[in-house]
Amino acid sequence: MSNEPQFQHGTPGKTGVLLINLGTPDAPTKEALRPYLREFLSNPRVIEVPRLIWWPILYGFILPFRPKQSAEKYALIWTSEGSPLKVHTERQAALLAEALQNSANPAPMVEYAMNIGNPSVTSVINKMVDAGCDRILVIPLFPQYAASSTAAAMDAVFAALGPVRNMPAIRTVKQYHDHSGYIAALAQNIRDYWEQHGQPDKLIISFHGVPRRNLDKGDPYHCFCQKTGRLLAEALNLGEEQYQVCFQSRFGRAQWLQPYTAETLEQLGKANTRRVDITCPGFVSDCLETLEEIAIEGKKTFTEAGGKEYHYIPCLNERADWIDALSEIARSNLQGWLEPAPSQEMLEQSKQRALAMGAHK
């Protein structure tokens, strides 16, 4: 950072909270998708293939054709406000700032960034440092840790801090796949939907997939997904036959975590299942993977195979109970960094002391 603020003795430090999501293109166009996909698929955390093998595939087969296909999918879910993922993430950051406003004095600065695309992690880190943040809590918005998501976000944070001379203290949240508030919000979100639309014969709990070799190399993601699914099912009082954990978004020919969501929906359709509901707890905001792949393509797969009724249950997005859980996660990791905001009783006592001191003068 060339314009880094000059250090001044006695200047009180500020606390910041940075939410990081995966990212989104700037527009649902081929021109916007090409640099987005190039950046995403060039990340060695995402594609763990030797570069000599991967570059010809990426530049010779994927980037010439995939941007147009992806743009068409994004166009199906794009809103008047822009990308759903960005819209929800921006709102979550604003709501978290509001939730933390009364819990500390001064309240922490809350920002969000995208690991791929805009606003970039580097630009937001620089903004926070320029604002005087000397301690930053980083919360990747991925409940289940994976090297390809959470660790990639952490890489971006520390890469952004590389040029910073007066580096802020950093705390990171690795995962919250079994956090009680997060599980409770997931369960209540589904209950609320079922109260309006009735219950299904089967609940599919779908997570984003990763290559099977990631699990074999020690990535805990699969185990965290299974635990989230189990805890959610227990909160909903579901028996083993009433739900199934699956994995979506398979890419390439390698074996990925199974069972695959698309194949499971096809099997349930062929079995003439009356109704399937599907939820995606690995995403806290609706995005391409939920709104297009699951809500649109998933329904097509299920009904064309013979299934009758298909319901996609939206993500947590801006639910109040989810924002409460997120603020609880933030506060528990901010301990020692924030001065508690004075209570009404403390303010009243301070006022009385001031009046008493004035009376004695």
Side-chain angles (χ1 to χ4, degrees), residues 37-357:
L37 289 174
R38 182 174 61 242
E39 182 181 1
F40 177 52
L41 297 176
S42 295
N43 192 318
R45 290 279 197 183
V46 175
I47 304 295
E48 297 184 28
V49 176
R51 303 295 91 176
L52 286 177
I53 298 175
W54 178 240
W55 288 144
I57 298 173
L58 177 63
Y59 286 93
F61 297 95
I62 296 177
L63 291 179
F65 307 106
R66 185 88 180 252
K68 182 177 183 297
Q69 299 169 358
S70 295
E72 292 171 353
K73 293 181 178 182
Y74 271 104
L76 294 174
I77 59 106
W78 212 259
T79 74
S80 58
E81 296 178 86
S83 161
L85 177 68
K86 186 174 182 180
V87 170
H88 289 305
T89 305
E90 185 172 349
R91 290 174 182 171
Q92 288 168 354
L95 289 169
L96 177 60
E98 184 179 324
L100 295 177
Q101 184 71 34
N102 298 323
S103 65
N105 185 26
M109 177 182 185
V110 179
E111 298 289 336
Y112 80 95
M114 298 295 178
N115 198 27
I116 309 295
N118 297 305
S120 69
V121 172
T122 296
S123 68
V124 178
I125 286 282
N126 289 344
K127 176 183 177 181
M128 299 177 82
V129 171
D130 289 344
C133 289
D134 65 351
R135 46 194 182 269
I136 299 174
L137 172 65
V138 180
I139 308 179
L141 291 173
F142 315 115
Q144 298 77 23
Y145 171 92
S148 55
S149 55
T150 309
M154 298 305 184
D155 289 344
V157 168
F158 288 104
L161 289 170
V164 176
R165 181 173 297 278
N166 188 12
M167 186 179 292
I170 298 294
R171 289 181 182 172
T172 60
V173 175
K174 182 178 179 181
Q175 74 265 336
Y176 44 93
H177 63 286
D178 56 357
H179 186 274
S180 59
Y182 159 70
I183 297 295
L186 290 174
Q188 192 57 49
N189 184 40
I190 294 172
R191 289 192 204 98
D192 290 346
Y193 188 90
W194 285 350
E195 285 179 6
Q196 294 184 30
H197 304 281
Q199 289 191 226
D201 299 291
K202 194 94 168 183
L203 176 67
I204 299 299
I205 303 174
S206 182
F207 294 90
H208 197 288
V210 298
R212 166 72 199 208
R213 64 175 176 270
N214 292 18
L215 170 63
D216 297 335
K217 290 180 177 180
D219 198 306
Y221 177 72
H222 178 263
C223 300
F224 291 160
C225 292
Q226 294 291 345
K227 186 171 185 181
T228 297
R230 176 175 59 81
L231 292 175
L232 178 56
E234 289 175 358
L236 293 170
N237 295 313
L238 298 180
E240 291 185 4
E241 74 287 350
Q242 294 177 287
Y243 77 97
Q244 185 167 352
V245 172
C246 299
F247 296 90
Q248 64 187 82
S249 309
R250 182 186 179 191
F251 176 75
R253 298 180 180 179
Q255 184 182 19
W256 281 41
L257 297 180
Q258 297 188 42
Y260 301 131
T261 299
E263 290 184 3
T264 300
L265 291 174
E266 184 177 6
Q267 291 166 6
L268 289 169
K270 289 179 178 178
N272 295 314
T273 305
R274 181 188 63 85
R275 172 175 162 181
V276 162
D277 284 11
I278 188 163
T279 185
C280 300
F283 302 91
V284 298
S285 299
D286 274 310
C287 55
L288 183 73
E289 287 81 1
T290 65
L291 297 174
E292 191 277 333
E293 182 182 357
I294 296 300
I296 298 175
E297 288 300 316
K299 180 177 182 178
K300 182 179 179 181
T301 298
F302 177 69
T303 55
E304 288 186 354
K308 302 298 185 290
E309 195 175 341
Y310 181 93
H311 291 244
Y312 166 65
I313 301 174
C315 290
L316 294 173
N317 296 325
E318 293 87 53
R319 284 184 61 95
D321 47 10
W322 158 236
I323 301 302
D324 287 343
L326 184 58
S327 63
E328 184 180 334
I329 292 167
R331 280 193 295 267
S332 65
N333 284 276
L334 286 168
Q335 291 185 36
W337 276 7
L338 298 177
E339 290 291 333
S343 65
Q344 192 60 42
E345 181 181 356
M346 292 173 62
L347 290 173
E348 186 61 31
Q349 289 175 352
S350 178
K351 180 180 179 181
Q352 293 300 325
R353 284 196 299 269
L355 291 173
M357 289 177 64

